[in-house]
């Protein structure tokens, strides 16, 4: 399968500020995301997951290494066809739900009717039909996050980077949003890279799971889940799901302890 | 609604008390005209067309001062936001700007800009520029990083980000500064006319005071206060709506 996103020898060291020493935050690491796959990246807190995403999206320059998307180097700007959903609320508070979702489409100069049609469909898919004219301040945190997801997906990106998009949601909504994300992924055929700290989320949603070490984050293991593309949260009751989650934790636990400064025997 | 009715009731009661005090001799008519005479004088002024002739140059100068304060304040604020080092150097000076008795510069402004509307516009805008710039900075300081990252993902450059993201986000804060700019523009322009200007409402008020023309004096005062209050209430209502929309109320 063709590499859709490739990171080669990527590392990030944050420069010294004042008396503090330079902080090695990430890598060096190599990473290859295949076209059309659902890949999750899991790692302990502070391992550089979000830094990795910012570098992959062209929002942050790496200190070393090279990033390429669809064979072209990513440098200084986000390439067309790449969308990002952030962990924190990034909805525009001065725009209604439909205006938020249509922002990128209008910027691309699409005809008004085409924008309206695509926005309406995205609103319906996200279950926000009753709130099309509401402002973000009138929505719950989960609904605002759905607005941000819709705003990204409505532009039909070929690669979607999601940085813990469900972190602010309760457990039930997370499961439902995960199912919705799987449906959208199957429908759009896009490549998805999900950054998460939830082992269950990674095990449930992904084709492959990459595990990262404690800071500076490196890829320590890659696990293929073996799930068919037609999958959903029904897998929660599958014994293979429990086994997979256990395997992920067994591999990640030493790094999580290291990130917290605990000894290796502390478990 | 009940609160607004209560406020109107208090104003009405004070006006009635003043009317009674003047008519029953508790307050001299030479000092204060009864409110009914003020209203009658104002209606006569409006009917004769004199009011518009007096108010036109004043309102034109006030409008120009507000526009200058808002546009100048936004540009100044964006420049300071773009240059943290300049902001650190200048911000303490800006915060103490309100302590400067700006009217002392009025004669100097006349020497530089001539005896026309320009020095009035300059003095009317002087306070407002700073209040708009500071309120814009206050708003921009709260702009969440993910929103700025979203702007970069959309490929917006610095000016497009300012126009499509920074200014709309900071609008409720800017509006608060603009309210102060409007009040300062009225004070600056009418105060300037009062001191040294050939025409305008301030000049007419000063003339009426010198001529002991109390009905004209109070009619003009009532007009100025009514206009400023109406403008301020309108801006306040707009600001409240905007803040409620954003969940800032």
């Amino acid at each position: 399968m063709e590499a859709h996103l490739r990171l080669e020898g990527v590392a990030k060291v944050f420069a010294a500020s004042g008396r503090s020493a330079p902080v090695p935050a990430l890598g060096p690491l190599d990473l290859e995301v295949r076209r059309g796959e659902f890949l999750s990246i899991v790692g302990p807190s502070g391992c550089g997951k979000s830094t990795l995403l910012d570098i992959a999206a062209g929002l942050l320059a790496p200190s070393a290494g090279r990033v390429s998307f669809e064979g072209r180097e990513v440098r200084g700007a986000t390439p067309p066809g790449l969308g990002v959903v952030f962990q924190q609320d990034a909805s525009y508070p001065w725009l209604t739900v439909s205006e938020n979702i249509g922002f990128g489409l209008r910027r691309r100069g699409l005809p008004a009717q085409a924008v309206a049609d695509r926005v309406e469909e995205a609103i319906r898919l996200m279950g926000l039909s009753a709130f099309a004219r509401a402002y973000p301040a009138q929505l719950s945190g989960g609904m605002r996050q759905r607005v941000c997801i819709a705003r990204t997906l409505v532009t039909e990106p070929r690669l979607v980077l999601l940085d813990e998009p469900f972190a602010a949601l309760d457990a039930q909504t997370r499961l439902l949003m995960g199912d919705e994300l799987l449906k959208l992924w199957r429908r759009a055929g896009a490549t998805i890279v999900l950054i998460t700290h939830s082992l269950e989320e990674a095990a449930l949603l992904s084709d492959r799971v990459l595990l990262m070490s404690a800071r500076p984050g490196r890829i320590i293991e890659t696990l293929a889940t073996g799930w068919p593309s037609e999958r959903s949260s029904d897998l929660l009751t599958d014994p293979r799901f429990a086994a997979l989650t256990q395997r992920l934790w067994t591999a990640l636990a030493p790094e999580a302890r290291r990130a917290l400064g605990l000894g290796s025997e502390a478990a | 609604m009940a609160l607004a009715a209560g406020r109107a009731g208090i104003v009405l009661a004070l006006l009635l008390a003043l009317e009674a005090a003047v008519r029953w001799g508790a307050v001299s008519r030479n000092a204060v005209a009864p409110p009914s005479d003020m209203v009658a004088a104002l209606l006569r002024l409006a009917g004769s067309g004199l009011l518009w002739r007096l108010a036109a140059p004043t309102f034109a100068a006030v409008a120009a001062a507000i526009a200058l304060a808002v546009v100048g304040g936004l540009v100044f604020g964006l420049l300071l936001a773009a240059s943290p080092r300049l902001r650190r150097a200048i911000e303490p000076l800006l915060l103490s700007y309100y302590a400067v008795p700006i009217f002392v510069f009025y004669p100097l402004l006349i020497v530089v800009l001539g005896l026309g509307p320009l020095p009035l516009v300059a003095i009317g805008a002087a306070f407002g520029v700073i209040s708009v710039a500071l309120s814009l900075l206050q708003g921009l300081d709260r702009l969440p990083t993910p929103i700025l990252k979203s702007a970069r993902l959309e490929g917006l450059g610095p000016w497009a980000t300012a126009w499509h993201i920074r200014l709309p986000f900071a609008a409720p804060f800017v509006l608060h500064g603009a309210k102060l700019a409007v009040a300062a523009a009225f004070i600056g322009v009418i105060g300037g006319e009062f001191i040294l200007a050939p025409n305008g409402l301030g000049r007419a008020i000063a003339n009426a005071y010198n001529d002991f023309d109390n009905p004209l004096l109070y009619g003009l005062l009532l007009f100025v206060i009514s206009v400023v209050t109406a403008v301020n209430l309108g801006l306040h209502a707009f600001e409240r709506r905007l803040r409620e929309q954003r969940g800032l109320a």
Side-chain angles (χ1 to χ4, degrees), chain A residues 154-174:
Chain A
V154 80
T155 60
E156 297 176 351
R158 298 182 294 280
L159 170 66
V160 189
L161 306 174
L162 299 116
D163 186 5
E164 304 200 20
F166 310 139
L169 310 184
D170 61 85
Q172 293 163 31
T173 312
R174 283 178 85 122

Side-chain angles (χ1 to χ4, degrees), chain A residues 167-191:
Chain A
L169 310 184
D170 61 85
Q172 293 163 31
T173 312
R174 283 178 85 122
L175 282 175
L176 293 174
M177 288 304 297
D179 282 344
E180 289 304 315
L181 185 61
L182 283 172
K183 279 187 207 161
L184 289 167
W185 167 63
R186 283 193 293 270
R187 202 180 124 140
T191 307

